[in-house]
Amino acid sequence: MECVFGLVGNGFAIVVADSSAVHSILVHKSNEDKIMLLDSHKLIAASGEPGDRVQFTEYIQKNVALYQFRNGIPLTTAAAANFTRGELATALRKNPYSVNILLAGYDKETGPELYYIDYIATLHKLEKGAFGYGSYFSLSMMDRHYHSGMSVEEAIDLVDKCIMEIRSRLVVAPPNFVIKIVDKDGAREYAWRESVKDTPVPSA
């Protein structure tokens, strides 16, 4: 029951993901970070099969870093999104990845951007987007309350409304969420919304 959503505000983009690692009827952990830093000003949030999600996002992260190392300049957010889409499209004809992606970034020239890339390599630039079962609730909340040019405080308030709606409406709702933000100061973790904490296993 994965939930990944994001939105663009005034000078920033926010992405949110649940942190549950689940297989069949088992919850393996509830602090899995599904939002990866691509570079200093880009975030990639992914949902899908755990193996595909981890392997593909790490592959994109390393190739973005390799491009910057070879050329001395980082990829723009649009270029990173198109590269990611191209790799998914190539894999689609060979060994497809079951992974859906929200890619957020900030560039000096274009400001904050959010890209939606699904498992069949569809690419769209959006102001708000979501994947997973939580999207049924987060998209409706964002349709009602989102407006362009939101402040950070307004955006976080909307994120909290989406999380509360998912927790109260979704039958098997994930308990914990991680929120990350990217703006002119870079990409970073903003907050966690936790209702369950993993209990550490005592050493023998």
Side-chain angles (χ1 to χ4, degrees):
M1 297 292 179
E2 290 190 299
C3 308
V4 176
F5 59 96
L7 58 92
V8 176
N10 182 20
F12 66 92
I14 284 178
V15 285
V16 184
D18 76 281
S19 58
S20 297
V22 178
H23 178 70
S24 184
I25 61 170
L26 297 177
V27 177
H28 295 297
K29 60 189 294 194
S30 55
N31 59 355
E32 173 82 0
D33 191 350
K34 298 176 183 176
I35 308 174
M36 178 181 282
L37 270 67
L38 278 189
D39 64 20
S40 63
H41 285 75
K42 292 180 196 65
L43 294 167
I44 184 167
S47 68
E49 290 295 322
D52 287 354
R53 174 175 54 79
V54 172
Q55 198 269 329
F56 185 73
T57 53
E58 286 184 354
Y59 171 75
I60 296 299
Q61 183 192 46
K62 303 312 177 193
N63 274 276
V64 167
L66 178 63
Y67 178 90
Q68 185 170 356
F69 181 70
R70 279 178 170 168
N71 298 283
I73 56 169
L75 285 169
T76 63
T77 307
N82 278 279
F83 170 74
T84 303
R85 185 256 166 209
E87 293 302 309
L88 270 177
T90 301
L92 193 62
R93 277 81 182 173
K94 299 175 183 176
N95 185 24
Y97 293 101
S98 179
V99 61
N100 300 303
I101 286 167
L102 285 178
L103 194 152
Y106 184 93
D107 300 308
K108 287 181 181 177
E109 295 79 15
T110 56
E113 294 177 308
L114 179 69
Y115 289 90
Y116 166 110
I117 311 163
D118 70 9
Y119 73 103
I120 50 173
T122 302
L123 173 66
H124 285 292
K125 183 181 177 183
L126 304 172
E127 288 198 320
K128 59 185 187 298
F131 282 116
Y133 283 104
S135 66
Y136 293 107
F137 311 103
S138 55
L139 283 175
S140 59
M141 289 298 289
M142 288 192 285
D143 281 341
R144 176 68 181 85
H145 297 287
Y146 177 83
H147 61 86
S148 59
M150 294 182 87
S151 67
V152 174
E153 292 75 19
E154 288 175 318
I156 292 298
D157 182 58
L158 176 52
V159 164
D160 286 335
K161 285 177 179 173
C162 292
I163 291 172
M164 287 303 298
E165 194 72 8
I166 291 166
R167 283 177 175 167
S168 60
R169 298 281 185 178
L170 187 58
V171 66
V172 198
N176 300 340
F177 292 81
V178 58
I179 304 167
K180 295 191 180 182
I181 188 169
V182 58
D183 57 18
K184 60 180 172 47
D185 299 320
R188 60 198 180 276
E189 185 179 294
Y190 184 86
W192 284 76
R193 296 290 186 260
E194 295 179 300
S195 59
V196 170
K197 286 189 181 290
D198 276 2
T199 306
V201 178
S203 58

